[in-house]
């Protein structure tokens, strides 16, 4: 049984930092592209960042570039999202997802193979 479990969310003031973790089990973690999404109340779920199997390739939505860093530890079956200089508009439930496609393949939110249940990040102004 595949499980993705996010942790590290919480309440932080604007300008602060949080580090999210997503621990995976039940899958060959090192063969999956890992992706972070987020969803704010009343909005659609949106892409935040993704990382290739090896960690050598990453991508970010423009709104978080320079502030967020994605990384992974294949030995620990865990992907991370370091979030710095947080803004109130970053408030959302953050989800990790696993995608067995090659990193360079065309991908979509509907193509994710597994999802976590999310962790809430609240940024106060």
């Amino acid at each position: 049984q595949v499980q993705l479990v996010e942790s590290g969310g919480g309440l932080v003031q604007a300008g602060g930092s949080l580090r999210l973790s997503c621990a995976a089990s039940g899958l060959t973690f090192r063969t999956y592209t890992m992706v972070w999404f987020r969803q704010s109340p009343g909005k659609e779920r949106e892409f935040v960042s993704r990382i290739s199997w090896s960690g050598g390739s990453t991508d970010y939505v423009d709104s978080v570039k320079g502030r967020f860093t994605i990384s992974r530890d294949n030995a620990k079956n865990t992907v991370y999202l370091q979030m710095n200089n947080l803004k109130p508009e970053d408030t959302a439930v953050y989800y990790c997802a696993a995608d067995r496609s090659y990193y360079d393949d065309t991908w979509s939110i509907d193509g994710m193979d597994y999802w976590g249940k999310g962790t809430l990040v609240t940024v106060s102004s």
Side-chain angles (χ1 to χ4, degrees):
Q1 179 181 358
V2 175
Q3 283 193 312
L4 300 178
V5 180
E6 302 95 336
S7 62
L11 174 63
V12 64
Q13 289 188 331
S17 298
L18 285 174
R19 188 195 196 200
L20 305 185
S21 299
C22 172
S25 61
L27 76 169
T28 306
F29 180 76
R30 66 182 183 275
T31 67
Y32 282 78
T33 296
M34 297 301 296
V35 191
W36 285 98
F37 294 88
R38 65 185 179 186
Q39 188 166 19
S40 304
K43 294 187 178 180
E44 292 187 352
R45 194 169 297 189
E46 68 167 349
F47 164 76
V48 177
S49 182
R50 59 199 292 261
I51 187 167
S52 63
W53 306 340
S54 67
S57 297
T58 59
D59 191 20
Y60 301 89
V61 67
D62 285 347
S63 60
V64 309
K65 284 181 180 177
R67 300 188 298 121
F68 291 11
T69 303
I70 191 171
S71 61
R72 67 190 295 162
D73 186 338
N74 287 342
K76 296 183 178 180
N77 288 359
T78 301
V79 61
Y80 305 97
L81 187 68
Q82 177 67 43
M83 306 187 296
N84 297 330
N85 190 22
L86 283 159
K87 303 177 180 181
E89 52 264 41
D90 295 319
T91 295
V93 177
Y94 284 71
Y95 300 89
C96 73
D99 179 6
R100 65 166 58 97
S101 302
Y102 290 107
Y103 182 84
D104 291 334
D105 286 350
T106 301
W107 65 275
S108 71
I109 187 171
D110 295 328
M112 298 296 109
D113 292 285
Y114 304 105
W115 288 89
K117 294 184 178 181
T119 185
L120 176 62
V121 172
T122 303
V123 184
S124 63
S125 56

